[in-house]
């Protein structure tokens, strides 16, 4: 193996730079050249790239974002785009492509592999943590800490005014950030997509009943509800307005948004990204193809790329259970 390429695609995640650094340093140790494509698959199509040397990745392990930049590339679903990407990779004598991203990026990697004879290795880089086959994804741990820091500050003002706050976290169709943010912050309720049977709507009556029972038991007090994005029409703001009108109480929405994707990665993300990045280069060197490099029980694993698409990653059932138990204790105290 003479030359590999790397790109970061889709939503950025804290730790992507740490992963790029590990890839470059490990490749250099193995006398392999590294090319970095900028702006995800767009750079692959437009031949927008840069050589990456050890000097280029000095002091980036602590930086959020990605030095290669990232972007969506809707046109990459076409055959013509995949064929053009394959042509560009062959023209640059690339032996393997390493893709750091989430589910959409992995689908792009699978699509490319149908038209390119080189090796494809993927690494899970997304704050959503919704990729099957790995316990954690690069950026996930930082996103939780960022959310918790914000929620703790909201709790202070919620306590001061004895107010209800509805806090919206990221996660698209996955409740991993929401679950852990609820556990870690001591939230009174959590609203996650996995907890709604068959896509049913949120039960407003249950939410209001729990708020009333809680305040009957504790008196006027702060009350925090964690909700994932896209779970209620109009989001947290619309749901807060609805609760305010229905209960005649002051319910404030807080949308954390993109702050969860930024910031310096925490230690767990730096270490995970470094471990996966180094292993991905070694896997490519050893001829591995169409795999995701992940982590299970603190050990690096190789997962068939197709498996990440066909399997749905579940929430930790025990965390869900204990959070629901705490929820029920208010309704039925002993």
């Amino acid at each position: 193996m003479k030359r590999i390429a790397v790109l970061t695609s889709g939503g950025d995640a804290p730790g992507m730079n740490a992963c790029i650094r590990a890839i470059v340093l490990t490749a250099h140790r193995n006398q392999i050249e590294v090319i970095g494509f900028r702006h995800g698959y767009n750079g692959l199509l437009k031949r927008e790239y840069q050589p990456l040397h050890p000097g280029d990745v000095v002091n980036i392990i602590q930086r959020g974002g990605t030095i290669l930049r990232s972007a969506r590339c809707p046109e990459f679903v076409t055959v013509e785009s995949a064929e053009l990407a394959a042509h560009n990779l062959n023209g640059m004598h690339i032996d393997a492509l390493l893709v750091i991203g989430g589910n959409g990026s992995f689908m792009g990697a699978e699509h490319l592999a149908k038209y390119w004879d080189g090796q494809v290795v993927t690494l899970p880089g997304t704050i959503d943590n919704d990729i099957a086959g790995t316990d954690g994804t690069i950026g996930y741990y930082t996103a939780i800490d960022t959310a918790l820091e914000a929620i703790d500050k909201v709790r202070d003002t919620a306590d001061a005014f004895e107010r209800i706050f509805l806090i919206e976290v990221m996660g698209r169709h996955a409740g991993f950030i929401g679950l852990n943010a609820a556990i870690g912050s001591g939230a009174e309720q959590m609203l996650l997509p996995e907890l709604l049977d068959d896509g049913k709507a949120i039960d407003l009556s249950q939410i209001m009943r729990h708020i009333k029972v809680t305040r009957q038991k504790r008196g006027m007090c702060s009350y925090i509800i964690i909700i994932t994005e896209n779970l209620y029409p109009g989001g947290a703001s619309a749901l807060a307005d609805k609760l305010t009108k229905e209960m005649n109480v002051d319910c404030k929405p807080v949308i954390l948004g993109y702050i969860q994707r930024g910031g310096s990665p925490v230690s767990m993300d730096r270490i995970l990204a470094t471990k996966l990045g180094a292993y991905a280069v070694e896997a490519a060197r050893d001829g591995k193809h169409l795999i995701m490099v992940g982590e299970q029980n603190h050990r690096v694993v190789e997962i068939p790329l197709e498996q990440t698409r066909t399997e749905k990653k579940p929430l930790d059932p025990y965390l869900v259970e204990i959070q629901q138990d705490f929820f029920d204790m208010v309704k039925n105290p002993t």
Side-chain angles (χ1 to χ4, degrees), residues 132-207:
T134 184
D135 293 338
T137 58
I138 297 167
Y140 169 59
Y141 301 106
T142 305
I144 294 172
D145 277 11
T146 299
L148 284 177
E149 183 179 3
I151 295 167
D152 287 347
K153 291 177 179 178
V154 171
R155 176 68 82 173
D156 289 341
T157 194
D159 279 342
F161 285 90
E162 298 173 331
R163 210 172 249 165
I164 301 167
F165 274 87
L166 193 63
I167 303 179
E168 182 180 290
V169 299
M170 282 180 141
R172 286 198 301 178
H173 308 297
F176 293 94
I177 295 175
L179 170 60
N180 284 275
I183 290 283
S185 66
E188 279 72 26
Q189 280 204 61
M190 61 182 183
L191 303 173
L192 315 176
E194 292 88 344
L195 303 183
L196 298 179
D197 297 332
D198 301 321
K200 291 182 180 178
I202 291 174
D203 187 345
L204 287 175
S205 62
Q206 183 185 43
I207 295 173

Side-chain angles (χ1 to χ4, degrees), residues 72-134:
R72 312 288 183 185
C73 187
E75 65 267 33
F76 202 72
V77 300
T78 66
V79 172
E80 293 77 13
S81 291
E83 290 177 339
L84 175 59
H87 173 77
N88 291 340
L89 289 167
N90 288 333
M92 296 176 63
H93 306 291
I94 302 295
D95 299 307
L97 176 66
L98 278 55
V99 176
I100 308 169
N103 287 309
S105 303
F106 286 9
M107 291 175 64
E110 276 193 285
H111 180 57
L112 171 64
K114 298 175 184 176
Y115 305 94
W116 183 52
D117 293 332
Q119 297 163 232
V120 173
V121 177
T122 64
L123 303 98
T126 168
I127 67 169
D128 293 348
N129 194 37
D130 58 347
I131 297 178
T134 184

Side-chain angles (χ1 to χ4, degrees), residues 231-260:
L231 200 60
Y232 186 83
S237 296
L239 182 55
D241 288 343
K242 184 72 172 177
L243 290 173
T244 297
K245 293 175 183 177
E246 292 289 334
M247 300 188 67
N248 195 29
V249 297
D250 200 8
C251 182
K252 298 292 187 182
V254 176
I255 301 173
L256 299 187
Y258 285 94
I259 67 166
Q260 296 160 91

Side-chain angles (χ1 to χ4, degrees), residues 269-281:
D269 275 323
R270 298 185 196 194
I271 294 166
L272 175 64
T274 299
K275 183 191 295 187
L276 299 188
Y279 191 94
V281 174

Side-chain angles (χ1 to χ4, degrees), residues 1-8 16-38 44 48-57 60 66-68 89 92-100 121 123 277-278 280-282 284-285:
M1 178 163 287
K2 302 286 186 177
R3 178 181 287 183
I4 63 174
V6 58
L7 61 83
T8 51
M16 281 184 166
N17 280 328
C19 191
I20 294 169
R21 172 181 176 271
I23 288 169
V24 172
L25 296 181
T26 305
H28 180 73
R29 190 178 69 238
N30 286 274
Q31 290 80 51
I32 300 172
E33 292 183 58
V34 181
I35 297 295
F37 284 102
R38 296 171 61 82
L44 193 52
E48 185 182 2
Y49 64 89
Q50 64 187 81
L52 291 173
H53 305 102
D56 298 318
V57 295
I60 69 168
T66 162
I67 61 170
L68 292 176
L89 289 167
M92 296 176 63
H93 306 291
I94 302 295
D95 299 307
L97 176 66
L98 278 55
V99 176
I100 308 169
V121 177
L123 303 98
V281 174
E282 294 170 352
R285 178 201 62 194

